[in-house]
Amino acid sequence: QSVLTQSPSASGTPGQRVTISCSGSSSNIGSNYVYWYQHLPGTAPKLLIYENNQRPSGVPDRFSGSKSDTSASLAISGLRSEDEADYYCAAWDDTLSGLWVFGGGTKLTVL
Amino acid sequence: EVQLLGSGGGLVQPGGSLRLSCAASGFTFTNYAMSWIRQAPGKGLEWVSGISGPGGTTDYADSVKGRFTISRDNSKNTLYLQMTNLRADDTAIYYCAKVSAVVVAAHHHDYWGQGTLVTVSS
């Protein structure tokens, strides 16, 4: 059971906008930044969004992140077939000595 | 270009040991903390352990504390994870990841390796 909660699956057709959600608590999302990773099985996970809504260089502006209280969202607009992947949210958790926590992942299917 | 190449995975019996390595290049290794993060079959990601850039500070998830030891050799730009008393639920792909700062706490992982598979089974 992952500390951060994500829906296991999402889908959309090319060109559509899809949103992936991530729910946490006051000790993680509620008090720290949220990060999003894109992962194609067999490859290295890729940083997609950092500090809630910042994109690393090279990440298209079709990807955007937001955070409110203890929840966060990743939005993908103008959906493309190559966006089909697993998406994970992450946050630092202040519980006890602190640690990184992740969501269980959302598998995005482009129909 | 940042590159992280993990190795050392394989099949090991319950109670056995294994050492993972991660060779890093493309950045000044000693200036950045590193982590090991794993993904069990059909499961999400789990942070396992982290170590500061100079190597003096280490942290572990409760699930591996006392059984795993993280270390680094900054002269060889290599990260290690010594795993002992392995259990079936340690079966996972293990990823090494570069942290965006010299300490792990609250600084994100900006680059990941492709992972090495560890299977614990008799």
Side-chain angles (χ1 to χ4, degrees):
Chain A
Q1 195 81 350
S2 299
V3 174
L4 305 181
T5 301
Q6 296 182 241
S7 297
S9 64
S11 63
T13 57
Q16 267 191 332
R17 182 178 189 272
V18 297
T19 300
I20 296 170
S21 63
C22 175
S23 177
S25 67
S26 58
S27 64
N28 42 66
I29 293 179
S31 52
N32 294 292
Y33 289 123
V34 176
Y35 302 85
W36 289 92
Y37 297 91
Q38 180 189 59
H39 186 210
L40 283 77
T43 69
K46 173 186 174 183
L47 178 65
L48 214 54
I49 297 288
Y50 67 98
E51 294 178 0
N52 300 336
N53 55 20
Q54 303 299 304
R55 286 185 307 276
S57 60
V59 174
D61 60 6
R62 301 186 297 105
F63 295 90
S64 61
S66 63
K67 186 185 105 167
S68 178
D69 294 328
T70 59
S71 294
S73 294
L74 171 71
I76 308 172
S77 61
L79 199 61
R80 304 174 68 160
S81 59
E82 58 260 39
D83 297 333
E84 186 162 293
D86 298 322
Y87 293 85
Y88 293 89
C89 57
W92 178 256
D93 193 299
D94 293 324
T95 302
L96 298 174
S97 58
L99 77 164
W100 279 98
V101 292
F102 292 88
T106 297
K107 181 174 181 55
L108 174 63
T109 301
V110 181
L111 302 170
Chain B
E1 179 192 4
V2 172
Q3 290 194 354
L4 300 169
L5 185 60
S7 62
L11 174 63
V12 61
Q13 292 187 336
S17 300
L18 207 57
R19 188 177 84 154
L20 306 183
S21 300
C22 174
S25 62
F27 63 101
T28 304
F29 188 62
T30 192
N31 287 353
Y32 296 94
M34 298 289 293
S35 285
W36 288 99
I37 298 164
R38 68 184 180 184
Q39 183 177 30
K43 304 290 186 181
L45 298 168
E46 179 191 18
W47 178 82
V48 172
S49 182
I51 185 168
S52 62
T57 302
T58 57
D59 296 290
Y60 299 91
D62 287 344
S63 57
V64 306
K65 203 170 290 184
R67 300 187 299 123
F68 290 12
T69 302
I70 191 171
S71 63
R72 63 192 295 161
D73 185 336
N74 287 345
S75 68
K76 295 182 179 179
N77 287 359
T78 303
L79 173 73
Y80 302 100
L81 184 68
Q82 178 68 48
M83 305 183 292
T84 63
N85 194 18
L86 282 161
R87 311 185 303 222
D89 62 0
D90 294 318
T91 295
I93 298 173
Y94 284 73
Y95 299 95
C96 59
K98 172 185 169 293
V99 179
S100 58
V102 71
V103 295
V104 175
H107 292 93
H108 68 283
H109 303 90
D110 51 4
Y111 293 93
W112 300 52
Q114 288 192 313
T116 184
L117 176 62
V118 173
T119 303
V120 184
S121 174
S122 54

